[in-house]
Amino acid sequence: MGKTLVRELGRGTLSGRIVEVEAYPIGDAAGHAFRGHTPGNHSIFREHGRAYVYFIYGSCYMMNVTSERPGIGGAVLLRAVEPLEGTNLMQRRRGTARVRDLTRGPGRLASAMRIDRRLDGVDLCAPGPLWLGTAVRPVGRIGRSVRIGVTREMNRRLRLYERGNPFVSGPKRLRV
DNA sequence: AAGAAGATTCGCT
DNA sequence: GCGAATCTTCTTA
């Protein structure tokens, strides 16, 4: 939370401040590591600090940051960022001028920052095509809730967000 | 082998 | 609010 997600493209740099995440820890039945290895989830079993990018609903990419030691399996889903650099390019990519709609939600943020399976497995801990930079300002008050869109382990409050931030996704009651 | 659900978004009502 | 889009994986047969 609060760190800067940086996407380096040939045309320029896109970046955003992470304001909403969800944890999918070890042994979590809602996590993609729970059922073991599949053709598409290799990266979630790599060491912490790598990208795990997957495709879902036939239309959306989702970006995660791996969180465990090699072979274990666990990750944090990036659900929303606050645009910092490259807002113009994000607007073109997303086909809207409305800044609040650019990166509010996991599928939207991946689309805005051109994150797809080609970035699956990249090291996020050093500058590169996709990486995590230092925070531009301290994170505010953190809210906590159940995770959005999951149907397993529904009692676990593993979604974290910066309270009141306009770029946080979900219904209003889950943003305050 | 076929059907359904999934860490979602978009357009239309 | 509801259904479509349409890939991956799991369930059931």
Side-chain angles (χ1 to χ4, degrees):
Chain A
M1 286 285 283
K3 285 182 75 81
T4 305
L5 180 65
V6 186
R7 177 77 170 105
E8 310 275 12
L9 294 172
R11 320 176 51 174
T13 298
L14 307 178
S15 68
R17 177 172 173 270
I18 298 170
V19 298
E20 181 187 357
V21 301
E22 281 177 357
Y24 290 86
I26 298 169
D28 173 22
H32 288 187
F34 188 72
R35 298 179 191 275
H37 293 263
T38 67
N41 74 357
H42 172 73
S43 296
I44 200 173
F45 294 98
R46 298 188 68 179
E47 81 277 19
H48 60 82
R50 297 235 170 218
Y52 165 50
V53 181
Y54 66 92
F55 190 62
I56 195 170
Y57 295 126
S59 56
C60 301
Y61 291 98
M62 306 270 174
M63 175 181 170
N64 298 252
V65 182
T66 61
S67 55
E68 306 302 328
R69 299 191 306 193
I72 305 298
V76 173
L77 170 69
L78 303 189
R79 283 198 57 93
V81 304
E82 173 183 330
L84 294 175
E85 302 167 86
T87 306
N88 286 356
L89 183 49
M90 292 186 198
Q91 286 168 319
R92 282 204 292 279
R93 289 193 52 77
R94 294 270 302 117
T96 179
R98 227 186 141 192
V99 175
R100 199 172 91 95
D101 287 344
L102 296 180
T103 54
R104 178 168 47 86
R108 287 170 173 165
L109 95 82
S111 172
M113 300 183 75
R114 200 205 268 180
I115 295 169
D116 57 35
R117 284 286 285 177
R118 291 174 297 189
L119 293 165
D120 183 53
V122 304
D123 180 10
L124 300 171
C125 299
L130 182 66
W131 57 289
L132 293 169
T134 57
V136 293
R137 68 170 188 276
V139 68
R141 293 186 61 193
I142 302 261
R144 186 165 64 118
S145 80
V146 296
R147 293 171 293 189
I148 294 177
V150 307
T151 56
R152 299 168 161 240
E153 308 255 11
M154 294 181 65
N155 52 330
R156 303 187 76 176
R157 298 170 67 205
L158 294 176
R159 170 177 173 266
L160 303 181
Y161 58 96
E162 184 175 50
R163 295 183 69 176
N165 187 296
F167 296 94
V168 171
S169 72
K172 183 177 286 184
R173 64 187 171 78
L174 296 183
R175 304 199 300 255
V176 295

Coordinates of all heavy atoms in Angstrom, one line a residue, chain A residues 99-144:
Chain A
V99 N -10.6 10.6 -15.3 CA -9.5 10.1 -14.6 C -9.9 9.1 -13.5 O -9.2 8.1 -13.3 CB -8.7 11.3 -14.0 CG1 -7.5 10.7 -13.1 CG2 -8.2 12.2 -15.1
R100 N -11.0 9.3 -12.9 CA -11.4 8.4 -11.8 C -11.7 7.0 -12.3 O -11.6 6.0 -11.6 CB -12.6 8.9 -11.0 CG -12.8 8.3 -9.7 CD -13.8 9.0 -8.8 NE -15.2 8.4 -9.0 CZ -15.7 7.4 -8.3 NH1 -15.0 7.0 -7.2 NH2 -16.9 7.0 -8.5
D101 N -12.0 6.8 -13.6 CA -12.3 5.5 -14.2 C -11.1 4.8 -14.8 O -11.2 3.7 -15.3 CB -13.4 5.6 -15.2 CG -14.7 5.9 -14.7 OD1 -14.9 5.7 -13.4 OD2 -15.6 6.4 -15.4
L102 N -9.9 5.4 -14.7 CA -8.8 4.8 -15.4 C -8.2 3.6 -14.7 O -8.0 2.6 -15.3 CB -7.6 5.9 -15.5 CG -8.0 7.1 -16.4 CD1 -6.8 8.1 -16.4 CD2 -8.3 6.7 -17.8
T103 N -8.1 3.7 -13.4 CA -7.3 2.6 -12.7 C -8.1 2.2 -11.4 O -7.5 1.6 -10.5 CB -5.9 3.1 -12.3 OG1 -6.1 4.3 -11.5 CG2 -5.1 3.3 -13.5
R104 N -9.4 2.4 -11.4 CA -10.2 2.0 -10.2 C -10.8 0.6 -10.5 O -11.8 0.4 -11.1 CB -11.4 3.0 -10.0 CG -12.3 2.8 -8.9 CD -13.2 4.0 -8.6 NE -13.7 4.6 -9.8 CZ -14.9 4.2 -10.3 NH1 -15.6 3.2 -9.8 NH2 -15.3 4.7 -11.4
G105 N -10.1 -0.4 -10.0 CA -10.5 -1.8 -10.2 C -9.3 -2.6 -10.8 O -8.6 -2.0 -11.6
P106 N -9.2 -3.8 -10.5 CA -8.1 -4.6 -10.9 C -8.0 -4.8 -12.5 O -6.8 -4.7 -13.0 CB -8.3 -6.0 -10.3 CG -9.7 -6.0 -9.9 CD -10.1 -4.6 -9.6
G107 N -9.1 -5.0 -13.1 CA -9.0 -5.1 -14.6 C -8.7 -3.8 -15.3 O -8.0 -3.7 -16.3
R108 N -9.3 -2.7 -14.7 CA -9.0 -1.4 -15.3 C -7.6 -1.0 -15.1 O -7.0 -0.4 -16.1 CB -9.9 -0.4 -14.6 CG -11.4 -0.5 -15.0 CD -12.2 0.4 -14.1 NE -13.6 0.4 -14.5 CZ -14.6 0.8 -13.8 NH1 -14.4 1.3 -12.6 NH2 -15.9 0.9 -14.3
L109 N -7.0 -1.2 -14.0 CA -5.6 -0.8 -13.8 C -4.7 -1.5 -14.7 O -3.7 -1.0 -15.2 CB -5.2 -0.8 -12.3 CG -4.5 -2.1 -11.7 CD1 -3.0 -2.0 -12.0 CD2 -4.8 -2.1 -10.2
A110 N -5.0 -2.8 -14.9 CA -4.1 -3.6 -15.8 C -4.3 -3.1 -17.2 O -3.3 -3.0 -17.9 CB -4.5 -5.1 -15.7
S111 N -5.5 -2.8 -17.6 CA -5.7 -2.3 -19.0 C -5.0 -0.9 -19.2 O -4.4 -0.7 -20.2 CB -7.2 -2.2 -19.2 OG -7.5 -1.5 -20.4
A112 N -5.2 0.0 -18.2 CA -4.6 1.3 -18.3 C -3.1 1.3 -18.4 O -2.5 2.1 -19.1 CB -5.0 2.2 -17.1
M113 N -2.5 0.3 -17.7 CA -1.0 0.3 -17.7 C -0.4 -0.8 -18.6 O 0.7 -1.1 -18.5 CB -0.6 0.1 -16.2 CG -1.0 1.3 -15.3 SD -0.5 1.2 -13.6 CE 1.2 1.7 -13.8
R114 N -1.2 -1.3 -19.5 CA -0.8 -2.3 -20.4 C -0.1 -3.5 -19.7 O 1.0 -3.9 -20.1 CB 0.0 -1.8 -21.5 CG 0.1 -2.7 -22.8 CD 1.3 -2.5 -23.6 NE 1.1 -1.5 -24.6 CZ 2.1 -1.2 -25.5 NH1 3.3 -1.8 -25.4 NH2 1.9 -0.3 -26.4
I115 N -0.8 -4.0 -18.7 CA -0.2 -5.2 -18.0 C -1.0 -6.4 -18.5 O -2.2 -6.5 -18.4 CB -0.5 -5.0 -16.5 CG1 0.4 -3.8 -16.0 CG2 -0.1 -6.3 -15.8 CD1 0.0 -3.4 -14.5
D116 N -0.2 -7.4 -19.1 CA -0.8 -8.6 -19.5 C 0.2 -9.8 -19.2 O 1.1 -9.6 -18.5 CB -1.1 -8.5 -21.0 CG 0.1 -8.2 -21.9 OD1 1.2 -8.6 -21.5 OD2 0.0 -7.4 -22.9
R117 N -0.1 -10.9 -19.8 CA 0.7 -12.1 -19.5 C 2.1 -12.0 -19.9 O 2.9 -12.8 -19.3 CB 0.0 -13.3 -20.2 CG -1.2 -13.8 -19.6 CD -1.0 -14.6 -18.3 NE -0.5 -15.9 -18.5 CZ -0.1 -16.8 -17.6 NH1 -0.3 -16.4 -16.3 NH2 0.3 -18.0 -17.8
R118 N 2.5 -11.1 -20.7 CA 3.9 -11.0 -21.1 C 4.7 -10.5 -19.9 O 5.9 -10.7 -19.8 CB 4.1 -9.9 -22.2 CG 3.6 -10.4 -23.5 CD 3.6 -9.4 -24.6 NE 2.7 -8.2 -24.3 CZ 2.4 -7.2 -25.1 NH1 3.0 -7.2 -26.3 NH2 1.6 -6.3 -24.7
L119 N 4.0 -9.9 -18.9 CA 4.7 -9.4 -17.7 C 4.6 -10.4 -16.5 O 5.1 -10.2 -15.5 CB 4.1 -8.1 -17.3 CG 4.4 -7.0 -18.3 CD1 3.5 -5.8 -18.0 CD2 5.9 -6.6 -18.2
D120 N 4.0 -11.6 -16.8 CA 3.9 -12.6 -15.7 C 5.3 -13.0 -15.3 O 6.1 -13.4 -16.2 CB 3.1 -13.8 -16.3 CG 2.9 -14.8 -15.2 OD1 2.4 -14.5 -14.1 OD2 3.2 -16.0 -15.5
G121 N 5.6 -13.0 -14.1 CA 6.8 -13.5 -13.5 C 8.0 -12.5 -13.4 O 9.0 -12.8 -12.9
V122 N 7.7 -11.2 -13.9 CA 8.9 -10.3 -13.8 C 9.2 -9.9 -12.4 O 8.3 -9.9 -11.5 CB 8.6 -9.0 -14.7 CG1 8.3 -9.3 -16.1 CG2 7.5 -8.2 -14.0
D123 N 10.4 -9.5 -12.2 CA 10.9 -9.1 -10.9 C 10.4 -7.6 -10.7 O 10.8 -6.7 -11.4 CB 12.4 -9.2 -10.8 CG 13.0 -8.7 -9.5 OD1 12.2 -8.5 -8.6 OD2 14.2 -8.5 -9.4
L124 N 9.7 -7.4 -9.6 CA 9.1 -6.1 -9.3 C 10.0 -5.2 -8.4 O 9.7 -4.1 -8.1 CB 7.8 -6.2 -8.7 CG 6.7 -7.0 -9.5 CD1 5.5 -7.2 -8.6 CD2 6.3 -6.2 -10.7
C125 N 11.1 -5.8 -8.0 CA 11.9 -5.2 -6.9 C 13.1 -4.3 -7.4 O 13.9 -3.8 -6.7 CB 12.5 -6.2 -5.9 SG 11.1 -7.1 -5.1
A126 N 13.2 -4.2 -8.8 CA 14.2 -3.4 -9.3 C 13.7 -2.8 -10.6 O 12.8 -3.4 -11.2 CB 15.5 -4.2 -9.7
P127 N 14.1 -1.6 -11.0 CA 13.6 -0.9 -12.2 C 13.6 -1.9 -13.4 O 14.6 -2.6 -13.7 CB 14.5 0.3 -12.4 CG 15.0 0.6 -11.0 CD 15.1 -0.7 -10.3
G128 N 12.5 -1.8 -14.2 CA 12.4 -2.7 -15.4 C 11.1 -2.3 -16.0 O 10.5 -1.2 -15.8
P129 N 10.5 -3.2 -16.9 CA 9.3 -2.9 -17.6 C 8.1 -2.7 -16.6 O 7.2 -1.9 -16.9 CB 9.0 -4.1 -18.4 CG 9.9 -5.2 -17.9 CD 11.1 -4.5 -17.3
L130 N 8.2 -3.4 -15.5 CA 7.1 -3.2 -14.4 C 7.8 -3.4 -13.1 O 8.4 -4.5 -12.8 CB 6.0 -4.3 -14.7 CG 4.8 -4.3 -13.7 CD1 4.0 -3.0 -13.9 CD2 3.9 -5.5 -13.9
W131 N 7.6 -2.5 -12.2 CA 8.3 -2.6 -10.9 C 7.6 -1.7 -9.9 O 6.7 -0.9 -10.2 CB 9.8 -2.3 -11.0 CG 10.1 -0.9 -11.6 CD1 10.0 -0.5 -12.8 CD2 10.7 0.2 -10.8 NE1 10.4 0.8 -13.0 CE2 10.8 1.3 -11.7 CE3 11.1 0.4 -9.5 CZ2 11.3 2.5 -11.3 CZ3 11.6 1.6 -9.1 CH2 11.7 2.6 -10.1
L132 N 8.1 -1.9 -8.6 CA 7.5 -1.1 -7.5 C 8.5 -0.1 -7.0 O 9.6 -0.5 -6.5 CB 7.1 -2.1 -6.4 CG 5.9 -3.0 -6.7 CD1 5.8 -4.1 -5.7 CD2 4.6 -2.2 -6.8
G133 N 8.2 1.2 -7.1 CA 9.0 2.2 -6.6 C 8.6 2.7 -5.2 O 7.6 2.3 -4.7
T134 N 9.4 3.6 -4.7 CA 9.1 4.1 -3.3 C 7.8 5.0 -3.3 O 7.4 5.6 -4.4 CB 10.2 5.0 -2.8 OG1 10.5 6.0 -3.7 CG2 11.5 4.2 -2.6
A135 N 7.2 5.1 -2.2 CA 5.9 5.9 -2.1 C 6.2 7.4 -2.3 O 7.2 7.9 -1.8 CB 5.3 5.6 -0.7
V136 N 5.3 8.1 -2.9 CA 5.4 9.5 -3.1 C 4.9 10.3 -1.9 O 5.3 11.4 -1.7 CB 4.7 10.0 -4.4 CG1 5.4 9.4 -5.6 CG2 3.2 9.6 -4.3
R137 N 4.1 9.7 -1.1 CA 3.6 10.3 0.1 C 3.1 9.2 1.1 O 2.8 8.1 0.6 CB 2.6 11.4 -0.1 CG 1.2 10.8 -0.6 CD 0.2 11.9 -0.6 NE -1.1 11.4 -0.9 CZ -1.6 11.2 -2.2 NH1 -0.8 11.5 -3.2 NH2 -2.8 10.8 -2.3
P138 N 3.1 9.5 2.3 CA 2.6 8.5 3.3 C 1.2 8.0 3.0 O 0.4 8.8 2.5 CB 2.7 9.2 4.7 CG 3.6 10.3 4.4 CD 3.4 10.8 3.0
V139 N 0.9 6.8 3.3 CA -0.4 6.3 3.1 C -1.3 6.8 4.3 O -0.9 6.9 5.4 CB -0.4 4.7 3.0 CG1 -0.1 4.1 4.4 CG2 -1.8 4.2 2.5
G140 N -2.6 7.1 3.9 CA -3.5 7.6 5.0 C -4.1 6.5 5.8 O -3.5 5.4 5.9
R141 N -5.2 6.8 6.4 CA -5.9 5.7 7.3 C -6.3 4.5 6.4 O -6.8 4.7 5.3 CB -7.1 6.3 8.0 CG -6.8 7.4 9.0 CD -8.0 7.8 9.7 NE -8.6 6.7 10.5 CZ -9.8 6.7 11.0 NH1 -10.6 7.8 10.8 NH2 -10.3 5.7 11.7
I142 N -6.0 3.3 6.9 CA -6.3 2.1 6.2 C -7.6 1.5 6.6 O -7.8 1.4 7.8 CB -5.2 1.1 6.5 CG1 -3.8 1.7 6.0 CG2 -5.5 -0.2 5.7 CD1 -3.3 1.3 4.7
G143 N -8.4 1.2 5.7 CA -9.7 0.5 5.9 C -9.5 -0.9 5.6 O -8.6 -1.3 4.9
R144 N -10.4 -1.8 6.2 CA -10.3 -3.2 6.0 C -11.7 -3.8 5.7 O -12.7 -3.3 6.4 CB -9.7 -3.8 7.2 CG -9.4 -5.3 7.1 CD -8.4 -5.7 8.2 NE -9.0 -5.6 9.5 CZ -9.3 -6.6 10.4 NH1 -8.9 -7.8 10.0 NH2 -9.8 -6.4 11.5

